[in-house]
Amino acid sequence: MTTEDVVLKEVAPIRVAELTTTASYGSPDIGPAIRSLYPELFRRLHGAGVKRADGLAIAYYEDPAEPDDAVTVHAAIPVTAGPHPGYDFAIVDLPAIRPAATIIHRGLMGDVTRGLWILAGWIEDNGYRPVGYHREIYLDYDPDEAGQGVTELQVPVVKDSDRDACDIRIHILY
């Protein structure tokens, strides 16, 4: 991958069903947390009779309600159903990202840091700054085919009007 692989684009809003957990920030806890959430989410969706919409699995992150050295991990699947009080999972509408700096990562998610650093360099070099954590869109992922995954990394960005005040830190979670 090189910086030429970075694409600035708009990401449409999407409705997802999701489960969340908290994991230590910047540690090896994130991958196992995500991998444990998806089978449980699929089981709960099936039990509730909620069908997947066209689309792929999504992981995204946010700061937890109580500040500490952790991150809230969201494992999400696109759906067309609306929220329902009887569901044992959440249905939320992820907002659009306008714009997002994106790059395609091929291989193990444990090696995703390189793609995030390329994004960080592109963002800084092109006068943007990140605004929040990245999203991971699993375009082609089979847990039985180690190293064969294809994931789009999406970082929300804004044009940086004050280059001297730019904080180009991207939240590296792996």
Side-chain angles (χ1 to χ4, degrees):
M1 283 184 284
T2 65
T3 56
E4 290 79 38
D5 295 319
V6 175
V7 174
L8 189 67
K9 67 180 189 179
E10 292 190 7
V11 176
I14 187 166
R15 175 166 285 176
V16 297
E18 69 175 22
L19 291 178
T20 63
T21 191
T22 302
S24 298
Y25 179 78
S27 77
D29 293 346
I30 298 212
I34 291 171
R35 285 190 298 276
S36 69
L37 289 174
Y38 281 111
E40 182 62 19
L41 179 57
F42 288 131
R43 184 189 70 73
R44 292 180 187 195
L45 288 172
H46 179 74
V50 174
K51 304 271 190 236
R52 291 178 67 171
D54 288 338
L56 309 159
I58 300 168
Y60 69 100
Y61 311 92
E62 64 184 359
D63 290 324
E66 295 295 320
D68 62 7
D69 192 26
V71 65
T72 300
V73 178
H74 298 257
I77 300 293
V79 295
T80 56
H84 186 280
Y87 292 157
D88 56 355
F89 51 88
I91 293 187
V92 299
D93 294 318
L94 296 182
I97 303 175
R98 296 187 179 117
T102 67
I103 194 167
I104 301 295
H105 168 74
R106 289 176 173 78
L108 297 170
M109 286 308 292
D111 298 332
V112 75
T113 303
R114 183 170 183 268
L116 290 169
W117 282 115
I118 290 170
L119 276 173
W122 184 94
I123 290 166
E124 182 175 29
D125 291 347
N126 289 276
Y128 289 88
R129 65 181 167 83
V131 287
Y133 292 94
H134 71 282
R135 285 185 193 169
E136 299 163 4
I137 312 302
Y138 303 112
L139 303 173
D140 183 13
Y141 179 75
D142 182 348
D144 298 325
E145 295 290 329
Q148 302 300 315
V150 179
T151 306
E152 182 178 68
L153 306 173
Q154 303 172 341
V155 176
V157 295
V158 295
K159 198 67 171 163
D160 189 12
S161 58
D162 182 5
R163 293 284 301 195
D164 293 333
C166 181
D167 178 8
I168 195 56
R169 199 170 31 110
I170 287 185
H171 301 285
I172 304 293
L173 300 175
Y174 291 92

